[in-house]
């Protein structure tokens, strides 16, 4: 494993590959020092600028929470209403680009050289990329989104879909089927091809230019085709610093959502009150667990936790599937797939629409969120994907997770919608999503309609926490790699620093405005990184073109 090679950074390509001839050595600009018993090996100036900026941000948000809340409250709607068309258009480009590569001759290029072999089997590989890429999000939004789109009374239904509820709350039977179809299609749109294409672009760029070209596993390496040796100067420093900020705030948003959901579940099941104090305690406790995993490393920490996540998540999925009605759920899955294919083009259209609430409030935020996560998830996927062909890589990273996400939404979202239809007046889902918007309770409200709800809700809380730990752990590894100049073997105290400040950023954002502040910082960091991803697509094409020549 590359992880184990001291100061090697990444393994040399095996077989034919288009190595880039450069005098740069991994870590040559690093500062190596000792602070007491702790050794440091950090890139200058990426670590210093990004680290100091994060510390200053945390201090500001803690000292002036009301001012921070006001600013973040203005920032989120300002950005989504202004740049929604840009976010939607960019995400469409990423999907088309990835699908084109799958069917092109470039799909035969192998990451790591023509004779490279995979470092991980399919089970471990898929568990890690899925847990890192979607874990907390699926737990939080798997019930919330379909249920919300189905019955939203706030005028932001996707594509101005019809509502199934009258003003007095009674069900309009004639509208139910279409409302359900659109709700599941609109949810699948946010969790299938588009987000995974965003991740795939970054992961493919990093894997290609590191494992095949011999460059450091850092975001700047992907820009060698257009910047050349300038990637080692301020052009490259800027790209890496933006990637650190995007990753950090993308993770903080997910960690904040996870803390809110775990707190809501604890109140729902055990009566523990939902408040900021409990959420801060949760973040501190889970960050401590993540620190233990960080110290254990990629194989001993992230890989083990990811596989545990998958087993528990599948068990919960199967429980809901069989107790809610297998035939009905599989019917919902088939209908959702068909509806997704039918509606993906209208939902992807960035212009001439009137559903501003859905397009700006949900889609633009989602794409910014996925893009802000892309340096983290992309680098993490790249680290565990050496030895795969481009075609195999894209199919497994793009197509298969999309199908899993659609099935997840059909199971959890379909069950929630069916509960609202069957129990209009008594549905806990309707009470907590439609009548009174309490998004963090949506999963537990759905589980409450099934047998053994106290047990499954406890499992849900544990799953949220373990996904939380996995994301924090793997995110710390990735940020540490970027701020260590591409080294994969940097001293552990650096990972501890980033893991600690991920938790602190999540806490300060919750204090300074809650969910709105979390979302505002995601969009503000995702916006500049969208430009980075668009340029990255061209660099991937140039890199694959060179690889084909060597093959």
């Amino acid at each position: 494993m590359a992880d184990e090679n001291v100061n090697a950074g990444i393994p040399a390509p095996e077989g034919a590959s288009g190595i880039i001839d450069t005098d740069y050595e991994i870590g040559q600009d690093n500062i190596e020092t000792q602070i007491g018993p702790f050794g440091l090996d950090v890139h200058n100036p990426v670590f210093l600028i990004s680290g100091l900026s994060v510390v200053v941000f945390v201090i500001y948000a803690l000292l002036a929470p009301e001012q921070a809340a006001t600013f973040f409250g203005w920032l989120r709607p300002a950005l989504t209403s202004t740049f929604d068309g840009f976010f939607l258009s960019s995400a469409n480009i990423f999907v088309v680009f990835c699908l084109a590569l799958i069917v092109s001759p470039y799909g035969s290029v192998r990451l790591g050289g023509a004779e490279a072999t995979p470092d991980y089997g399919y089970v471990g590989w898929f568990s890690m990329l899925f847990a890192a890429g979607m874990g907390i999000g699926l737990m939080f939004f798997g019930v919330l989104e379909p249920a919300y789109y189905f019955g939203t009374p706030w005028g932001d239904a996707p594509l101005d879909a019809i509502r199934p509820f009258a003003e007095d709350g009674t069900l309009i039977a004639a509208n139910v089927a279409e409302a359900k179809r659109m709700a599941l299609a609109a949810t699948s749109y946010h969790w299938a091809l588009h987000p995974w294409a965003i991740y795939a672009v970054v992961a493919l760029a990093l894997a290609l230019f590191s494992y095949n070209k011999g460059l450091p596993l850092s975001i700047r390496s992907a820009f060698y085709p257009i910047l050349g040796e300038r990637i080692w100067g301020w052009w490259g420093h800027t790209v890496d610093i933006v990637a650190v900020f995007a990753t950090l705030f993308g993770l903080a948003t997910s960690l904040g959502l996870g803390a809110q959901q775990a707190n809501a579940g604890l109140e729902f099941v055990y009566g523990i009150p939902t408040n900021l104090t409990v959420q801060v305690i949760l973040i501190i406790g889970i960050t401590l667990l993540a620190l233990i995993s960080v110290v254990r490393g990629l194989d001993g920490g992230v890989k083990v936790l990811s596989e545990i996540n998958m087993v528990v998540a599948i068990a919960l999925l199967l429980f809901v599937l069989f107790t809610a009605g297998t035939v009905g759920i599989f019917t919902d899955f088939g209908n959702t797939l068909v509806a997704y294919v039918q509606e993906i083009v209208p939902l992807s259209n960035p212009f001439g629409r009137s559903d501003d609430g859905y397009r700006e409030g949900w889609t633009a935020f989602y794409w910014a969120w996925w893009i802000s996560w892309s340096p983290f998830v992309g680098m993490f996927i790249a680290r565990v994907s050496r030895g795969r062909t481009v075609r195999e890589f894209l199919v497994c990273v793009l197509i298969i997770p999309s199908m899993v996400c659609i099935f997840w939404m059909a199971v959890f979202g379909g069950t929630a919608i069916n509960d609202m239809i069957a129990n209009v007046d008594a549905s806990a889902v309707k009470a907590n999503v439609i009548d009174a918007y309490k998004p963090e309770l949506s999963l537990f409200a759905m589980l409450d309609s099934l047998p053994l709800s106290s047990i499954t809700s406890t499992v849900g809380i544990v799953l949220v926490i373990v996904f939380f730990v996995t994301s924090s752990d793997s995110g710390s590894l990735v940020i540490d790699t970027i701020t260590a100049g591409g080294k994969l073997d940097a001293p552990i105290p650096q990972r501890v620093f980033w893991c600690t400040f991920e938790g602190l950023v999540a806490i300060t954002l919750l204090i300074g405005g809650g969910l709105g502040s979390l979302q505002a910082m995601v969009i503000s960091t995702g916006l500049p990184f969208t430009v980075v991803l668009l340029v990255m697509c061209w660099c991937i094409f140039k890199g694959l073109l060179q690889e084909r020549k060597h093959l």
Side-chain angles (χ1 to χ4, degrees), residues 414-432:
T415 300
I417 292 174
N418 291 339
D419 178 62
M420 287 194 289
I421 296 170
N423 306 289
V424 177
D425 297 324
S427 170
V429 175
K430 184 174 182 293
N432 287 285

Side-chain angles (χ1 to χ4, degrees), residues 248-387:
L248 192 67
F249 288 110
L251 279 168
T253 297
S254 298
L255 302 186
L257 291 176
Q260 290 179 331
Q261 187 177 27
N263 189 182
L266 290 171
E267 180 182 41
F268 196 81
V269 180
Y270 301 108
I272 297 174
T274 297
N275 56 48
L276 185 60
T277 301
V278 175
Q279 291 164 17
V280 168
I281 292 172
L282 279 170
I283 292 175
I284 292 172
I286 296 169
T287 300
L288 290 174
L289 293 176
L291 286 172
I292 296 172
S293 183
V294 159
V295 172
R296 290 178 60 87
L298 185 64
D299 289 335
V302 178
K303 183 173 181 288
V304 172
L305 284 175
S306 297
E307 291 178 345
I308 293 173
N309 282 352
M310 290 299 293
V311 171
V312 178
I314 290 172
L316 183 61
L317 180 77
L318 292 175
F319 174 83
V320 175
L321 174 65
F322 287 111
T323 55
T326 310
V327 175
I329 295 298
F330 274 106
T331 300
D332 286 342
F333 174 57
N335 292 339
T336 301
L337 274 178
V338 173
Y340 173 61
V341 173
Q342 291 173 335
E343 302 296 342
I344 187 172
V345 173
L347 290 168
S348 302
N349 176 28
F351 308 111
R353 290 167 59 178
S354 58
D355 56 343
D356 293 349
Y358 174 79
R359 191 183 70 258
E360 296 174 4
W362 290 85
T363 304
F365 162 68
Y366 266 133
W367 292 172
W369 191 14
W370 302 143
I371 289 167
S372 71
W373 261 55
S374 64
F376 148 53
V377 180
M379 185 175 291
F380 185 75
I381 293 174
R383 287 189 66 174
V384 298
S385 298
R386 184 176 174 274

